[in-house]
Amino acid sequence: MDFSPSGWAAEFDPSESTGQVVWRPVERWSADGDALVADERRGCLLEARALKGFKRLVSVGKVVGAVPAAPGWKLKLWDDDKDDATAYEVPIAAWIVDAGGAMSPVPAGSDSYLEPVLRQRSEIVAPE
Protein backbone atom coordinates (compact mmCIF):
# COMPACT_ATOMS: atom_id res chain seq x y z
CA MET A 1 0.00 0.00 0.00
CA ASP A 2 1.48 3.28 -1.09
CA PHE A 3 -1.13 5.86 -0.08
CA SER A 4 -3.90 6.26 2.50
CA PRO A 5 -6.16 9.09 3.68
CA SER A 6 -4.20 9.43 6.94
CA GLY A 7 -0.68 8.69 5.68
CA TRP A 8 -0.65 5.40 7.62
CA ALA A 9 -1.45 1.76 6.86
CA ALA A 10 -2.01 -1.22 9.16
CA GLU A 11 -0.08 -4.39 8.40
CA PHE A 12 -1.67 -7.74 9.18
CA ASP A 13 -0.44 -11.34 9.06
CA PRO A 14 -0.37 -12.91 5.60
CA SER A 15 -3.66 -14.10 4.14
CA GLU A 16 -4.18 -17.84 4.51
CA SER A 17 -5.54 -18.06 0.96
CA THR A 18 -2.82 -16.06 -0.85
CA GLY A 19 0.08 -16.01 1.60
CA GLN A 20 0.54 -12.27 0.94
CA VAL A 21 0.74 -9.62 3.65
CA VAL A 22 -2.58 -7.84 4.16
CA TRP A 23 -2.55 -4.03 4.21
CA ARG A 24 -5.48 -1.86 5.25
CA PRO A 25 -5.47 1.93 5.08
CA VAL A 26 -5.87 3.83 8.33
CA GLU A 27 -8.96 5.90 7.53
CA ARG A 28 -8.67 8.15 10.56
CA TRP A 29 -7.78 8.27 14.27
CA SER A 30 -10.16 7.81 17.20
CA ALA A 31 -10.53 10.44 19.93
CA ASP A 32 -8.17 8.27 22.01
CA GLY A 33 -5.56 8.22 19.21
CA ASP A 34 -6.21 4.68 17.98
CA ALA A 35 -5.80 3.86 14.28
CA LEU A 36 -9.17 3.05 12.70
CA VAL A 37 -9.60 0.80 9.67
CA ALA A 38 -12.76 -0.11 7.76
CA ASP A 39 -14.43 -3.42 8.56
CA GLU A 40 -16.26 -4.25 5.34
CA ARG A 41 -18.43 -6.98 6.86
CA ARG A 42 -19.65 -4.91 9.80
CA GLY A 43 -19.78 -1.66 7.86
CA CYS A 44 -17.92 0.40 10.44
CA LEU A 45 -14.51 1.59 11.54
CA LEU A 46 -12.66 -0.54 14.10
CA GLU A 47 -9.39 -0.17 15.99
CA ALA A 48 -6.66 -1.80 13.88
CA ARG A 49 -4.85 -3.27 16.89
CA ALA A 50 -8.03 -5.04 18.02
CA LEU A 51 -8.33 -7.03 14.77
CA LYS A 52 -6.92 -10.54 14.35
CA GLY A 53 -3.44 -10.63 12.82
CA PHE A 54 -2.54 -6.97 13.44
CA LYS A 55 1.25 -6.52 13.31
CA ARG A 56 2.09 -2.83 13.13
CA LEU A 57 1.41 0.58 11.59
CA VAL A 58 3.53 1.77 8.66
CA SER A 59 3.93 5.31 7.35
CA VAL A 60 2.75 5.64 3.72
CA GLY A 61 2.06 8.57 1.42
CA LYS A 62 -0.85 10.82 2.29
CA VAL A 63 -2.80 12.00 -0.74
CA VAL A 64 -3.70 15.67 -0.50
CA GLY A 65 -4.89 16.21 -4.04
CA ALA A 66 -5.24 15.07 -7.60
CA VAL A 67 -4.69 17.10 -10.75
CA PRO A 68 -5.95 16.16 -14.21
CA ALA A 69 -3.11 15.58 -16.68
CA ALA A 70 -2.78 17.80 -19.71
CA PRO A 71 -3.34 16.00 -23.02
CA GLY A 72 -0.31 14.29 -24.52
CA TRP A 73 1.44 13.10 -21.37
CA LYS A 74 2.12 9.36 -21.44
CA LEU A 75 3.57 6.69 -19.22
CA LYS A 76 5.87 4.07 -20.67
CA LEU A 77 5.51 0.80 -18.78
CA TRP A 78 7.32 -2.51 -18.95
CA ASP A 79 5.64 -5.87 -18.30
CA ASP A 80 9.10 -7.32 -17.63
CA ASP A 81 11.64 -4.96 -16.04
CA LYS A 82 14.53 -6.74 -17.73
CA ASP A 83 13.07 -7.01 -21.25
CA ASP A 84 12.81 -3.74 -23.22
CA ALA A 85 10.64 -5.47 -25.83
CA THR A 86 7.76 -5.59 -23.31
CA ALA A 87 7.43 -1.77 -23.16
CA TYR A 88 4.16 -0.04 -24.05
CA GLU A 89 2.70 3.45 -23.54
CA VAL A 90 -0.56 4.57 -21.93
CA PRO A 91 -1.93 8.10 -21.51
CA ILE A 92 -1.60 9.74 -18.09
CA ALA A 93 -5.07 10.59 -16.76
CA ALA A 94 -4.07 12.47 -13.61
CA TRP A 95 -1.33 13.24 -11.11
CA ILE A 96 -1.66 12.30 -7.43
CA VAL A 97 -0.11 14.87 -5.07
CA ASP A 98 1.15 13.67 -1.69
CA ALA A 99 1.68 15.67 1.52
CA GLY A 100 5.35 16.23 0.64
CA GLY A 101 4.43 17.77 -2.71
CA ALA A 102 5.58 14.80 -4.81
CA MET A 103 3.44 13.93 -7.81
CA SER A 104 2.82 10.39 -9.08
CA PRO A 105 1.36 9.68 -12.52
CA VAL A 106 -1.94 7.84 -12.78
CA PRO A 107 -2.32 6.02 -16.09
CA ALA A 108 -5.67 5.84 -17.85
CA GLY A 109 -7.11 2.37 -17.47
CA SER A 110 -9.86 0.28 -18.97
CA ASP A 111 -11.81 0.27 -15.71
CA SER A 112 -13.20 3.16 -13.67
CA TYR A 113 -10.68 2.79 -10.84
CA LEU A 114 -7.44 4.71 -11.32
CA GLU A 115 -4.31 4.16 -9.25
CA PRO A 116 -0.74 5.41 -9.49
CA VAL A 117 2.00 3.15 -10.84
CA LEU A 118 4.66 2.90 -8.18
CA ARG A 119 6.26 -0.53 -8.18
CA GLN A 120 6.50 -1.22 -11.89
CA ARG A 121 9.30 0.00 -14.15
CA SER A 122 7.98 3.15 -15.77
CA GLU A 123 9.07 6.33 -17.51
CA ILE A 124 7.17 9.58 -18.03
CA VAL A 125 6.95 10.65 -21.69
CA ALA A 126 6.35 14.38 -22.31
CA PRO A 127 4.05 15.58 -25.11
CA GLU A 128 5.71 16.01 -28.49
Side-chain angles (χ1 to χ4, degrees):
M1 173 163 296
D2 300 302
F3 294 101
S4 80
S6 66
W8 291 88
E11 179 183 350
F12 293 86
D13 290 332
S15 163
E16 290 179 14
S17 61
T18 66
Q20 295 191 3
V21 172
V22 175
W23 294 96
R24 296 172 84 173
V26 173
E27 301 294 339
R28 65 179 188 165
W29 305 94
S30 73
D32 295 328
D34 292 307
L36 301 175
V37 297
D39 184 313
E40 295 86 5
R41 287 181 296 203
R42 295 183 189 170
C44 63
L45 295 176
L46 297 175
E47 292 178 11
R49 66 181 174 163
L51 297 175
K52 181 181 175 188
F54 174 76
K55 292 176 78 174
R56 64 187 176 131
L57 293 179
V58 177
S59 179
V60 296
K62 180 178 182 179
V63 174
V64 295
V67 180
W73 285 91
K74 296 179 184 172
L75 193 61
K76 187 174 187 177
L77 300 166
W78 282 261
D79 282 331
D80 181 341
D81 290 352
K82 296 177 175 77
D83 184 359
D84 286 341
T86 66
Y88 62 97
E89 291 183 356
V90 293
I92 295 175
W95 301 90
I96 296 289
V97 184
D98 72 16
M103 296 178 70
S104 299
V106 180
S110 59
D111 58 15
S112 61
Y113 182 75
L114 300 176
E115 59 183 292
V117 172
L118 300 167
R119 292 200 170 97
Q120 183 179 1
R121 180 180 172 192
S122 62
E123 179 181 300
I124 296 170
V125 180
E128 295 178 3

